[in-house]
Amino acid sequence: MSERTVEAADELKIVLHGRKVVGGVVEGEALVTREQISGWGGIDPRTGNIIETRHELRGQSFAGKVLVFPGAKGSSGWSSQFHIARLMGTAPAAMLFNQMTTKIALGAVVTHSPSMTDFDIDPLDVIETGDWVKVDADRGIVEVTRRRRD
């Protein structure tokens, strides 16, 4: 067991450290994908649903969730679609991603969602959909409580 994990009877807590992109503190359920997300044509900002035809999360909503993904793909329309999602109340609660680009940086800023990158542990290796995640971007800390696996 590493110093970054604490195991209790029914849960496992994992702590990651990373770099703040947008500050703030929030908690929520994780929605995880190993696929990049396209803003323009890939999401419906009115619902927060992924609508990209072949995306593994197609039909699922990131609204109010901690979105864990590799990064953004597609055009510069990425940030405008996520800005509309914020205005509609369907933006992610937080965003954790690996690949920093100008489109995702601007997207993070316009959503006002706490966002982080440059982690000491790849979040895609330790966070699963349904885990409870506390993002403290101001301190550069992500605390993950693994959901019970039956």
Side-chain angles (χ1 to χ4, degrees), residues 98-124:
N98 293 329
Q99 300 163 345
M100 173 61 91
T101 62
T102 54
K103 75 178 94 210
I104 199 166
L106 181 55
V109 168
V110 300
T111 62
H112 300 191
S113 300
S115 301
M116 294 175 57
T117 192
D118 295 340
F119 296 96
D120 59 345
I121 301 170
D122 186 343
L124 295 171

Side-chain angles (χ1 to χ4, degrees), residues 52-132:
E52 184 177 345
T53 303
R54 290 186 265 303
H55 200 281
E56 68 180 338
L57 294 182
R58 181 177 170 83
Q60 296 185 53
S61 177
F62 52 65
K65 296 188 177 169
V66 177
L67 183 59
V68 184
F69 62 118
K73 68 177 179 180
S75 72
S76 59
W78 203 91
S79 58
S80 70
Q81 295 301 295
F82 278 83
H83 176 68
I84 293 168
R86 180 184 65 84
L87 295 174
M88 301 296 291
T90 62
M95 294 192 289
L96 308 177
F97 53 90
N98 293 329
Q99 300 163 345
M100 173 61 91
T101 62
T102 54
K103 75 178 94 210
I104 199 166
L106 181 55
V109 168
V110 300
T111 62
H112 300 191
S113 300
S115 301
M116 294 175 57
T117 192
D118 295 340
F119 296 96
D120 59 345
I121 301 170
D122 186 343
L124 295 171
D125 289 342
V126 295
I127 303 174
E128 294 182 17
T129 294
D131 289 345
W132 191 257

